C-alpha cells in the first residue's frame, strides 16, 4: 500500500528516487565531573572547539558565497555571531569553572537554557533560528567529542530523496552530490534558512509533511512533487504511471513556456493582462527579467534583513533598490517597506516573544513604533526613485491614520535629502497593501490617501478566515476561494475602479489557474506572482477568456461555499486548461495543459 502525504511545496520539481534517511541528532554528551586540575585545559579545549567551528563556518560561508551568492552566504552570520556571544561563551565557561562540568556538558547546558527561552514562542521565524542554534550546537559538540561529520553524502551512488525530521543550513549547503534529487521533511517552512538554500540550489523540496520520517525507510521508493507539496512512499503501479505522465507533460510544458516567456499575456478574447514578478532577493532580479515579468509587483525587502546581524545601511539598500529599478527600466517596481514581525523577525532585534505573532506587532505597526529602523530604507528608496519607477508600498495597513503617518515620515526624509542636496523624484507613488478585512472594508476611505492598492491575499485569507497561514494542520482550511474572500476582492476592485486608482493582486492565489481566472473575472488585470511562475501564468492566461471569467466570477459571487466557488471557476475554464491533477484542491502551482 502506498502512503500519500501532503506538506508545503517549497521548491519545484517532480522526482522519483529511493529514500535516504538522515537521522541526525544533536550528539549525546557523557556526564563527567572534572578534577580541579583539569579546568584550565578544559577551557582551552572549549576555545579550540569554537575556533574549529568558526573555521568550518567560514568555509561554508565562502562556499555558499561562491555557489549561490553573497546574500545566501549571510545565512551563516547569525551562527558566527552566536559563537562569539557572551551569553554563550561566558555562560559555558562559568559552568566549567564553577560546576566543574566538561566543556561539552557545560556547552550543552547553556544551549538548552537558550533554547528553552526561545522556545516559549510559536513564532516560526524564531523556531527557524532555533534550527540555526542546533546546527551550531552539533558542530561545536562534534569538535569537543571528536565525532565524525554525520553528513556524508559523497558515497551515495544512486538517486535519492533525503528524508529527515528537519535539516540545517550547513547540511544543505554541503549537498553537492548530483544524486540528491529531492528533500522531504517533517518540519520546516518555506522561509526556513535551509529551505531558502535548497530552493537556490533548485533541489525539489517538500516540507512540513508532519510524519514522513515515520513512514519512509531507507531504500523505499518515493515520488516527490515539489509543485504541489506531495510525496508518495512505496507507490503503486498506478502512482508510477501517473508520475511518469505528469513529469513528461510538465517537461514539455516547461520547455514550451520558456520559449514563450517574452510574449504578452493577452487572453484568447484579446484582454491584455499585466503580469509582474514578486522578488525576495535582489540577486533574483535578472531571472525575473528573463522570466518576462512586466515589472516587479512586490519586492519583499525584509529578506535583506533576515539572517543578518544588523540592519543593512542606507548605501547597501540604495544599491539593492537601484539594481532592481535599473533592471526594469521603464517598468514599475513596487518596493514594500520592511514587513517585519509575523513569521519574519530578525533575531538581532530581540523582539519580545508574542503569543499570536500574526496578530501582533507586525509590518506598519513596527514601522510606526520604531521609525528609526526604517529611516535608512526610506532614504534609500527615495534616492532610488531617480533610477527608475520605484513605488513604495506599506504592508498590513488597517486605517488612514497609518498611511498619513508613514507619508509624514517620508516627508521628513525628503527634507533631509533636500538639505543634503541629494536628488530624488518628486511625485513618486505611495500605496497600501490590502491585507486585512479592515482595509478591504474601508478601502473607499484608504483610496483617498493611497496612490495604488495591492491586495496581499496570503494575509487577507489568513485574517478573514482566522486560519494561520503557516500552520500545516490547517492547510485544508486555508482556502482563498472562501466566499468571504471573493466578496472582499470584488468590493476592493469596485472601489479602486471608482476611485480611479491602480489595483493589483500580489498573493499566491494569483499564481493559480483558478485564482487568476477569478481575479480577471473581477476586473483585476494586474497580477504579481513569484517571478519563476510568470511564464507559466502568462501561458495559461493566453488560453483563457476574459468574458467567461466575468461570467464565472458573477456565479462565484453568488456561491455559498469555497467548493462551490471553485466549481463555478472550473466550469468557466472548461477544457481550456487541464485542471485534472488539481480538482478539488487549490494549489500554489499551475498545472500543465
Ligand atoms: C500577502 O500577504 O499576500 C503578501 C503578498 O505578502 P506576504 O506573503 O509577504 O505576507
Ligand atoms: Mg502579507
Amino acid at each position: 500500500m502506498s502512503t500519500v502525504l501532503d506538506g508545503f511545496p517549497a521548491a519545484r520539481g517532480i522526482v522519483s528516487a529511493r529514500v535516504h534517511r538522515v537521522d541526525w541528532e544533536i550528539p549525546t554528551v557523557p556526564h563527567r565531573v572534572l578534577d580541579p586540575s583539569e579546568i584550565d585545559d578544559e577551557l582551552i579545549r572549549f576555545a579550540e572547539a569554537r575556533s574549529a567551528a568558526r573555521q568550518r563556518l567560514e568555509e561554508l560561508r565562502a562556499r555558499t558565497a561562491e555557489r549561490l551568492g553573497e546574500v545566501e552566504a549571510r545565512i551563516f552570520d547569525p551562527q558566527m555571531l552566536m559563537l562569539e556571544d557572551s551569553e554563550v561563551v561566558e555562560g559555558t565557561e562559568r559552568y566549567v569553572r564553577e560546576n566543574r562540568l566538561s566543556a561539552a556538558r557545560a556547552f550543552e547546558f547553556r544551549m538548552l537554557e537558550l533554547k528553552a527561552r526561545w522556545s516559549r514562542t510559536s513564532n516560526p521565524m524564531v523556531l527557524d533560528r532555533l534550527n540555526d542554534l542546533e546546527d551550531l550546537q552539533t558542530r561545536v559538540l562534534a569538535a569537543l567529542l571528536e565525532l565524525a561529520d554525520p553528513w556524508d553524502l559523497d558515497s551515495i551512488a544512486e538517486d535519492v530523496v533525503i528524508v529527515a525530521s528537519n535539516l540545517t543550513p550547513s547540511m544543505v549547503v554541503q549537498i553537492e552530490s548530483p544524486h540528491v534529487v529531492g528533500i522531504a521533511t517533517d518540519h520546516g517552512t518555506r522561509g526556513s534558512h535551509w529551505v531558502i538554500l535548497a530552493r537556490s540550489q533548485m533541489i525539489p523540496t517538500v516540507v512540513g509533511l508532519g510524519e514522513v520520517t515515520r513512514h519512509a525507510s531507507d531504500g523505499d521508493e518515493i515520488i516527490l512533487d515539489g509543485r504541489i507539496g506531495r510525496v508518495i512512499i512505496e507507490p503503486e503501479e498506478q502512482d508510477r504511471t501517473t508520475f511518469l505522465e505528469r513529469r513528461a507533460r510538465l517537461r514539455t510544458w516547461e520547455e514550451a513556456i520558456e520559449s514563450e516567456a517574452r510574449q504578452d499575456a493577452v487572453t484568447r478574447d484579446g484582454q491584455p493582462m499585466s503580469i509582474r514578478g514578486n522578488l525576495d532577493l535582489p540577486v533574483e532580479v535578472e531571472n525575473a527579467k528573463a522570466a518576462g515579468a512586466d515589472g516587479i509587483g512586490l519586492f519583499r525587502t525584509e529578506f535583506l534583513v533576515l539572517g543578518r546581524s544588523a540592519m543593512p545601511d542606507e548605501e547597501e539598500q540604495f544599491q539593492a533598490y537601484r539594481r532592481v529599478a535599473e533592471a526594469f527600466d521603464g517598468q514599475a517596481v513596487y518596493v514594500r517597506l520592511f514587513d517585519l514581525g509575523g513569521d519574519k523577525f530578525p533575531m538581532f532585534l530581540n523582539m519580545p516573544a508574542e503569543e499570536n505573532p500574526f496578530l501582533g506587532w507586525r509590518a506598519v505597526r513596527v514601522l510606526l513604533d520604531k521609525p528609526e529602523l526604517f529611516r535608512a530604507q526610506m532614504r534609500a528608496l527615495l534616492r532610488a526613485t531617480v533610477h527608475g519607477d520605484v513605488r513604495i508600498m506599506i504592508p498590513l495597513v488597517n486605517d488612514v491614520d497609518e498611511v498619513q503617518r508613514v507619508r509624514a515620515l517620508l516627508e521628513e526624509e525628503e527634507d533631509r535629502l533636500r538639505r543634503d542636496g541629494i536628488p530624488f523624484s518628486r511625485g513618486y507613488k505611495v500605496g497600501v497593501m490590502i491585507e486585512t478585512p479592515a482595509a478591504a472594508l474601508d478601502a473607499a476611505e484608504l483610496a483617498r490617501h493611497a496612490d495604488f492598492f495591492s491586495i496581499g491575499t496570503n494575509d487577507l485569507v489568513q485574517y478573514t478566515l482566522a486560519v494561520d497561514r503557516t500552520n500545516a494542520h490547517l492547510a485544508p482550511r486555508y482556502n482563498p476561494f472562501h466566499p468571504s474572500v471573493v466578496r472582499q476582492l470584488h468590493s476592493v476592485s469596485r472601489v479602486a475602479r471608482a476611485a480611479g486608482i491602480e489595483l493589483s493582486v500580489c498573493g499566491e492565489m494569483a499564481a493559480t489557474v483558478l485564482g487568476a481566472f477569478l481575479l480577471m473575472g473581477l476586473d483585476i488585470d494586474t497580477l504579481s506572482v513569484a517571478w519563476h511562475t510568470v511564464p507559466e501564468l502568462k501561458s495559461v492566461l493566453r488560453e483563457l477568456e476574459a468574458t467567461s471569467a466575468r461570467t464565472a466570477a458573477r456565479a462565484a459571487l453568488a456561491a455559498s461555499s469555497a467548493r462551490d466557488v471553485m466549481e463555478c471557476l472550473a466550469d468557466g475554464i472548461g477544457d481550456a486548461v487541464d485542471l485534472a491533477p488539481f480538482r478539488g484542491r487549490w494549489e500554489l502551482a499551475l498545472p500543465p495543459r
Side-chain angles (χ1 to χ4, degrees):
M1 266 284 280
S2 62
T3 308
V4 181
L5 297 173
D6 287 317
F8 290 121
R12 286 193 300 174
I14 172 164
V15 292
S16 164
R18 295 276 159 198
V19 168
H20 178 88
R21 291 193 53 137
V22 177
D23 295 315
W24 69 283
E25 51 185 31
I26 297 167
T28 41
V29 180
H31 184 66
R32 191 163 82 83
V33 178
L34 300 173
D35 186 81
S37 66
E38 292 177 300
I39 288 177
D40 285 347
D41 280 351
E42 201 61 10
L43 290 173
I44 293 172
R45 266 170 41 74
F46 179 49
E48 283 170 356
R50 282 195 297 128
S51 119
R54 186 175 321 111
Q55 200 179 338
R56 185 77 187 115
L57 280 170
E58 270 160 14
E59 279 165 27
L60 288 174
R61 197 187 186 290
R63 193 199 287 206
T64 312
E66 195 187 313
R67 286 179 58 201
L68 305 173
E70 191 47 42
V71 175
E72 283 83 352
R74 287 198 203 116
I75 277 175
F76 291 96
D77 289 356
Q79 288 195 48
M80 301 252 209
L81 237 92
M82 287 180 219
L83 204 52
E84 305 302 328
D85 187 287
S86 62
E87 280 205 283
V88 173
V89 179
E90 285 160 27
T92 305
E93 289 175 342
R94 208 172 313 119
Y95 279 137
V96 175
R97 237 183 267 111
E98 294 172 13
N99 301 67
R100 291 202 278 135
L101 295 180
S102 68
R105 193 66 159 175
F107 182 68
E108 183 189 40
F109 273 6
R110 195 65 199 122
M111 286 286 138
L112 281 174
E113 285 168 354
L114 289 177
K115 278 196 273 182
R117 195 190 307 158
W118 289 4
S119 311
R120 261 177 261 137
T121 172
S122 57
N123 184 333
M125 196 66 212
V126 176
L127 295 179
D128 282 342
R129 294 307 81 78
L130 272 176
N131 179 245
D132 286 347
L133 198 68
E134 288 179 351
D135 201 4
L136 181 71
Q137 185 175 2
T138 311
R139 185 171 314 292
V140 173
L141 287 179
L144 282 168
L145 302 169
E146 293 167 20
L147 302 173
D149 197 333
W151 188 244
D152 175 20
L153 299 175
D154 293 339
S155 54
I156 294 175
E158 59 172 351
D159 284 359
V160 296
V161 166
I162 288 177
V163 170
S165 170
N166 206 353
L167 294 178
T168 69
S170 36
M171 288 174 167
V172 173
V173 81
Q174 287 179 75
I175 299 178
E176 281 182 355
S177 164
H179 289 303
V180 176
V181 297
I183 302 177
T185 57
D186 292 338
H187 302 288
T189 66
R190 274 181 62 81
S192 305
H193 279 155
W194 74 259
V195 179
I196 295 173
L197 290 174
R199 210 160 32 237
S200 308
Q201 292 179 72
M202 297 198 277
I203 304 172
T205 301
V206 180
V207 298
L209 284 158
E211 38 186 41
V212 64
T213 49
R214 195 158 79 77
H215 294 283
S217 310
D218 257 333
D220 280 355
E221 189 181 341
I222 184 168
I223 291 174
L224 177 145
D225 190 335
R227 274 180 175 265
I228 62 169
R230 174 173 291 178
V231 297
I232 306 176
I233 301 155
E234 292 289 78
E236 315 253 330
E237 202 42 49
Q238 176 59 40
D239 300 320
R240 278 194 210 107
T241 316
T242 313
F243 159 74
L244 288 172
E245 269 174 29
R246 187 163 147 69
R247 191 178 61 175
R249 281 197 301 166
L250 272 170
R251 285 207 176 135
T252 323
W253 188 63
E254 279 166 3
E255 275 161 20
I257 54 173
E258 225 156 83
S259 61
E260 300 167 354
R262 295 272 171 184
Q263 291 177 20
D264 289 337
V266 180
T267 61
R268 262 187 194 287
D269 51 350
Q271 152 111 24
M273 297 286 289
S274 180
I275 307 303
R276 299 184 180 137
N278 292 351
L279 197 71
D280 290 347
L281 294 169
V283 286
E284 298 169 342
V285 72
E286 277 79 28
N287 297 338
K289 184 89 188 159
D294 305 321
I296 293 296
L298 167 65
F299 179 5
R300 292 185 167 99
T301 55
E302 48 293 343
F303 284 96
L304 297 173
V305 180
L306 295 179
R308 296 284 294 269
S309 43
M311 289 305 260
D313 65 19
E314 178 183 323
E315 191 55 31
E316 182 188 338
Q317 290 194 60
F318 168 63
Q319 296 301 346
Y321 306 143
R322 175 183 174 166
R323 177 174 175 183
V324 178
E326 286 183 344
F328 279 94
D329 189 27
Q331 285 169 314
V333 165
Y334 293 74
V335 185
R336 173 167 76 187
L337 296 168
F338 299 133
D339 185 358
L340 300 176
D343 61 345
K344 298 186 239 122
F345 253 143
M347 282 314 293
F348 67 88
L349 287 179
N350 288 322
M351 302 284 194
E354 291 192 84
E355 288 294 325
N356 292 301
F358 276 111
L359 297 183
W361 200 44
R362 231 202 113 176
V364 71
R365 305 168 191 180
V366 180
L367 189 164
L368 294 175
D369 290 353
K370 288 223 172 277
E372 63 276 13
L373 293 176
F374 292 78
R375 288 193 186 272
Q377 179 174 44
M378 292 183 172
R379 274 196 304 279
L381 280 170
L382 291 173
R383 285 169 58 193
T385 56
V386 179
H387 299 276
D389 186 358
V390 174
R391 307 184 180 188
I392 300 177
M393 198 145 79
I394 317 172
L396 208 76
V397 166
N398 258 352
D399 52 51
V400 167
D401 176 57
E402 291 163 336
V403 184
Q404 285 171 327
R405 288 170 64 197
V406 173
R407 280 193 185 270
L409 285 166
L410 281 164
E411 277 161 25
E412 282 173 28
E413 295 314 316
E414 282 183 25
D415 287 344
R416 283 188 53 186
L417 289 177
R418 239 179 253 117
R419 271 201 309 274
D420 296 341
I422 299 173
F424 64 91
S425 302
R426 271 143 236 278
Y428 63 89
K429 294 191 163 37
V430 180
V432 306
M433 289 192 72
I434 305 286
E435 299 188 279
T436 64
L441 293 168
D442 227 8
E445 205 49 54
L446 287 169
R448 278 193 266 281
H449 299 264
D451 297 321
F452 60 86
F453 283 161
S454 182
I455 308 181
T457 50
N458 302 340
D459 277 314
L460 184 62
V461 171
Q462 118 165 311
Y463 293 123
T464 300
L465 304 180
V467 173
D468 181 344
R469 62 191 263 191
T470 62
N471 186 331
H473 294 303
L474 297 177
R477 292 188 161 86
Y478 180 94
N479 190 322
F481 297 99
H482 192 283
S484 57
V485 177
V486 178
R487 279 179 206 130
Q488 289 180 79
L489 293 169
H490 174 61
S491 146
V492 175
S493 168
R494 290 215 320 203
V495 167
R497 193 159 283 261
I501 69 169
E502 191 201 282
L503 171 67
S504 64
V505 169
C506 62
E508 311 256 3
M509 79 178 289
T512 65
V513 184
L514 294 187
F517 190 65
L518 170 68
L519 296 168
M520 182 162 75
L522 295 173
D523 293 323
I524 302 172
D525 57 15
T526 306
L527 309 179
S528 192
V529 297
W531 60 263
H532 55 83
T533 51
V534 168
E536 303 179 0
L537 181 56
K538 283 188 164 182
S539 122
V540 164
L541 286 169
R542 286 194 284 265
E543 301 298 318
L544 299 174
E545 282 184 4
T547 34
S548 25
R550 283 192 199 99
T551 312
R554 262 197 304 278
L557 278 165
S560 56
S561 70
R563 179 155 293 276
D564 286 350
V565 169
M566 289 161 75
E567 286 304 325
C568 292
L569 297 170
D571 287 349
I573 291 169
D575 54 14
V577 175
D578 176 14
L579 292 169
F582 296 88
R583 191 57 70 175
R585 303 177 65 192
W586 82 275
E587 240 59 59
L588 306 183
L590 295 159
R593 277 169 281 192

